Amino acid sequence: MPRERAEHLPSELDQNTALAYAAAFVPRYDQYPLQLADGTYTAVKSTLHPDLVVAHLKGFITLGAYALSPENTASWVCIDADLSDQWDRLRHISTSLAKKEVPSYLEPSRRGGHLWLFLPPISGQDARRFGRQIATNFKLGKIEIYPKQEVLRTGPGSFVRLPLGKHRLTGRRYHFITPSGEPLAPTIREQIALLANPERVPNAYLEKVLSYAPKARDHSPTPAFKPAKPSRRGKWQRVAGTPSERIKAAISVHDFVRQYVELDAQGRGYCPFHDDEHKSFGVSEDGNYWNCFAGCGGGSIIDFWMKWRARQGENDSFKSTIKDLADRLLG
Ligand SMILES: [Zn+2]
């Protein structure tokens, strides 16, 4: 049965195949996201060696793929459905696009799944314009689109789990499927070979969509940090005390965090610290704290920034975090 055969591990996978596969997804090799046993990711600031990609495809480790290159280009758009009805829509979209001879790739996950559209390398801005316009054309409503940033400002930006690896938390490996639900290829090895040389969205279609897609607006959930308003700065200057007390007085957790995490009107958003599908992250504007209901923790601005720095692969010690926040907030 094809579905079972697709679960077989590719034992004889070589570095060249792994590298070709990685090249389809990975825009930079100077650092990489690594999934931990609890499903969260850490940013590893060292070279993504081919052996690591082999280990990913064999299921020993699980890597993420950053969406943007250091030059802010993208060679794919990934639409992330976290609800089963959205996933059904993505399968429908894949079918519709195929009729226009526009290739796309469906990768199911635990509940929803990803629709991958490989592009000739374009700016992150145009990649997002294209992805958003596809979502609009097919009436997808609010849905996550990677790259999440148009340009990189704080760290390497958004990433998606590199497909065909094992999810560390569920232990499952998800393979690509056709819109009708059959495996895209019978074995993982054949899937790797297919994805190592993905069919890209034709230039003519890309240009057509971009010709009517709205001009870029910055929807980035991680914009450049805006300095606290003068009134707030005036406020902290009246606050005596330790640097950490002054940092907490300089800006509310809500105002700080929303510059890094897209929050809805209820102050909820997708947790930046784990592979979140359910808006587990919340900020209480009144209570002045953040919390992840999936167990990533919670607390003050300082707790948030320590975790954020850890995720970016930066020094997450209390001392370094305080110094960084003081530079940003206390000016
Ligand atoms: Zn979390």
Side-chain angles (χ1 to χ4, degrees), residues 271 274 292 296:
C271 177
H274 79 277
C292 168
C296 295

Side-chain angles (χ1 to χ4, degrees), residues 1-8 175 182-183 185-188 191:
M1 191 177 161
R3 192 167 290 262
E4 284 168 4
R5 282 171 58 206
E7 299 297 333
H8 289 165
H175 51 263
E182 294 297 309
T187 66
I188 289 287
Q191 295 218 354

